[in-house]
Amino acid sequence: ALPIFPWRRLLLPTYKPQKPIQLDFIHQLHDIQLFLNLLGIQQYFTPCNEADDVIATLVSQKKPETIVTIFTVDKDIMQLVDVNCEVFDGDKIFSPDGVFKKFGVHPNEIPDFLAIRGDLFDNINGIDGYGIKKAQKIIHQYHSIENIPPDHEIYQSIIELSVNKKIATLNKSCDLHELIPQNKSNETIESILDKYQLVKIKEKLKRSEERRVG
């Protein structure tokens, strides 16, 4: 079978080790996709890329005056934050200033920061001896790994840094396809909620519909 993220795996074979996919997960994923489709929420996919890349492409295609809010806890997405794009992590809304306060670097510097520090979740090894503080210091001084001079001690790892940065940088030009899941069992919003015993969500949707009709 083809790897899920082939272009990143070609750069770094150890990137995000793929775990066996259980059949239950496949069924649940289809139900989620179908549920969103029945709610009228558009969904997109793209071959050889990740969900973050899909989000990055959608953000890049938005109208300049459109304000976008991304709901995620993924720090990679923080690189998309600007005056018209914010990230909500379930607790705080991050503006460019908020990103700097949390990570100590500006949104566009996140890939460089992760290239130096590394990302355990994605199995990206950073540079030995360079944690958060030292990575921030490098970014504050040079802003980009491309600006690191040859006489700097970290320059000896420039090839590794370049690979890490490419992996951490989101693809903003994916070939997007709309996802329209099949509904062979004629499922409804209610039947899917009942299947997973999501009583509270069902009640909230019912109240919302009653207010809309009323």
Side-chain angles (χ1 to χ4, degrees), residues 157-176:
S157 302
I158 196 64
I159 295 177
E160 181 182 351
L161 286 170
S162 298
V163 171
N164 289 352
K165 182 174 179 178
K166 287 178 182 178
I167 292 173
T169 301
L170 300 182
N171 182 4
K172 299 180 180 180
S173 56
C174 297
D175 182 18
L176 298 182

Side-chain angles (χ1 to χ4, degrees), residues 209-214:
E209 183 63 27
E210 289 174 348
R211 286 196 298 267
R212 190 181 301 113
V213 173

